[in-house]
Amino acid sequence: MSKLNIALVESEAKIILEALIEKEEKMAAICEESDDEDEVADVGNDLIEVRLLLNRLKEESVASYGKSVLVFDRNPL
């Protein structure tokens, strides 16, 4: 299996984290709401992979940048 190593600055990590969280939420909703067993199985398998990636990226991002990397609020201060 090949492996990709990539270095991300904090803003890049936030963009990827936010996108993965949004994707995870949409996939989880499909699994909960769909009546199509094949769709649930396919999306469910992909959801497992997304969650594994998301958890690893969260851990590494928080370790590098602190918990603020998980704050996606765009409201003005």
Side-chain angles (χ1 to χ4, degrees), residues 5-24:
N5 292 314
I6 187 167
L8 302 171
V9 297
E10 183 176 1
S11 61
E12 294 166 334
K14 286 179 78 103
I15 290 167
I16 294 171
L17 283 165
E18 185 175 22
L20 283 172
I21 289 168
E22 184 178 317
K23 181 73 170 176
E24 188 269 341

Side-chain angles (χ1 to χ4, degrees), residues 50-63:
V50 167
R51 285 180 172 163
L52 290 171
L53 173 59
L54 179 57
N55 288 337
R56 193 174 87 227
L57 185 58
K58 276 183 183 179
E59 282 181 24
E60 292 182 23
S61 295
V62 168

Side-chain angles (χ1 to χ4, degrees), residues 28-71:
I30 291 169
C31 289
E32 291 174 13
E33 298 167 6
S34 180
D35 294 328
D36 183 337
E37 292 179 9
D38 291 332
E39 179 182 41
V40 171
D42 288 341
V43 173
N45 289 333
D46 291 342
L47 178 57
I48 292 168
E49 295 294 326
V50 167
R51 285 180 172 163
L52 290 171
L53 173 59
L54 179 57
N55 288 337
R56 193 174 87 227
L57 185 58
K58 276 183 183 179
E59 282 181 24
E60 292 182 23
S61 295
V62 168
S64 293
Y65 304 115
K67 290 184 180 182
S68 65
V69 75
L70 300 175
V71 177

